[in-house]
Amino acid sequence: MGAGLFSVVGTLLLPGLALLAQDWQLLQGLSALATGLLLLFWGFPAMFPESPCWLLATGQPARARRILWHFAKASGVDPENSTEEESSLAMELDVLCAGHPQPRHHSVLELRHTHVTWRNALILGFSSLISGGIRASFLHSLVPSEPSFYWPYFLAAGLEAAATVFLLLTADLWGRRSVLLLSTLVLVLASQLLLAGAQYLPSWMVLFLSVLGLLASQTMSALSSLFSAEIFPTVIRGAGLGLVLGAGFLGQAAVPLTTMHGRHGFFLQHVLFASFALLTLLCVLLLPESRGRTLPQSLQEADRLCRSPLLRGCPRQDLLPLLPASSWGRN
C-alpha cells in the first residue's frame, strides 16, 4: 500500500512534465524513455531476485538456495557456521538440490479445478471492475457543467493518496474484508443517493457525496489488489494479481464513455454500475478474512480458506500448517 503512493506522486508530477514539454509527442517520448529505463534492471537479478518462496513452491530449490545464500552473506551470516536449526534447514536444502526435482510451473487456468479459490478470484475481480468503472460517475457529478481539467484530476490523485493512508491505518486493525465491506457500502450509498436526488440536493451535498464515493472507489481498487495477493496461492499469485488489476483497468475504460454522444447514456451507465456495486456488497460477504493468516502456498491450501464470521476472525487451523522443508520435494 505504501508503494502505491509513488503512483500518486507520478500522477501529480505529470501535469508539470506536460507543461515543460509543451507537445504531446515529446511528452509521450519522455514517458516511454522513463519506462524503458526499467528494462535495464532486467540484467541485474541481484537487485530484484526471484522470490525464494515461489521457487520452493514450484520445485526449484537450487535457485532458491543461491538466493537465500546471497541474502545470508549480504547480512553478514555464514550459512555453514550458524545455529543448529539453520544448519539443519541448509542441509535439507542441499538434499533437495541433490535430488534434481523437476520444476512444477502452474497456470492461472488451474483455478477452474478449485472449489473456493475461483470464487474468491471472481469476487475480487468483479469488485476491482466495478470500482474502476463507477469512478467516472462520481467524476461527472463533480463537474456537471463544463468540465474543468485540473480540479477533478488533482482531486482524484489526492483521494487516491487518502485512500492509501486510510488502508495503512485500518487494514491491519479492522481486517481486509471488513474494510472492503465498509468501502463498498459507502460507495453503494453515495451512488444511490446521487441517482435518487442529485437534482434535488444542494450543490455542497452533491459535491460531498461525489468525493465520498470517489474515495470509496479508490479504497476498493487498492484493497482488492492487496486482498488478492493474500488469497491467491504462491504458485499463481502473480498471475492472479494481474487478473484483478486487469479487471480494474477494464472498468476504467468506461471513463471516456461519459463524454461520448453528448453524455446521453451517462444515466444508464451510472444505474448499471450502481446496481453491480450493490451485488458486489453481497458478494464480499463470501470472502474469507486473510489478516493474520499464513499465505497459502498451493492451490489446495488456498481452497481451504474458510469464510469466517464478519465480526470474528477465522482460526488459523483452517489452513494446513506449512510443510517442512524436507517434504517440499515430495508434495
Side-chain angles (χ1 to χ4, degrees), residues 172-318:
D172 284 335
L173 183 63
W174 298 345
R176 281 74 161 128
R177 186 178 60 167
S178 299
V179 178
L180 183 60
L181 187 65
L182 175 63
S183 59
T184 308
L185 178 62
V186 171
L187 184 142
V188 169
L189 292 176
S191 60
Q192 296 294 336
L193 288 174
L194 286 175
L195 277 175
Q199 63 271 29
Y200 307 109
L201 296 174
S203 58
W204 67 268
M205 179 62 71
V206 174
L207 177 62
F208 173 75
L209 291 176
S210 301
V211 170
L212 191 63
L214 195 57
L215 177 63
S217 67
Q218 298 278 16
T219 305
M220 282 181 62
S221 297
L223 190 53
S224 295
S225 303
L226 171 65
F227 216 153
S228 63
E230 296 181 339
I231 285 181
F232 283 109
T234 299
V235 291
I236 59 167
R237 182 166 294 126
L241 179 59
L243 285 178
V244 175
L245 291 174
F249 290 128
L250 182 62
Q252 293 179 31
V255 175
L257 296 179
T258 59
T259 59
M260 295 176 61
H261 306 294
R263 302 183 180 182
H264 295 308
F266 165 74
F267 181 78
L268 179 60
Q269 179 183 340
H270 194 174
V271 171
L272 183 65
F273 278 106
S275 303
F276 284 148
L278 184 59
L279 178 61
T280 305
L281 179 66
L282 301 177
C283 293
V284 169
L285 296 172
L286 300 177
L287 291 173
E289 177 55 64
S290 60
R291 179 188 59 169
R293 284 177 162 172
T294 305
L295 293 179
Q297 304 296 319
S298 62
L299 289 167
Q300 291 76 18
E301 287 186 13
D303 235 25
R304 295 187 179 95
L305 286 170
C306 73
R307 180 175 61 87
S308 57
L310 182 60
L311 300 179
R312 179 170 58 87
C314 188
R316 295 174 65 92
Q317 286 76 12
D318 64 325

Side-chain angles (χ1 to χ4, degrees), residues 26 53 76 91 117 139 203 239 267 272:
L26 178 59
C53 184
M91 187 179 300
T117 311
L139 288 172
S203 58
F267 181 78
L272 183 65

Side-chain angles (χ1 to χ4, degrees), residues 138-148 151 203 206 210 263:
F138 295 120
L139 288 172
H140 176 270
S141 301
L142 286 173
V143 282
S145 56
E146 289 299 323
S148 173
W151 159 242
S203 58
V206 174
S210 301
R263 302 183 180 182

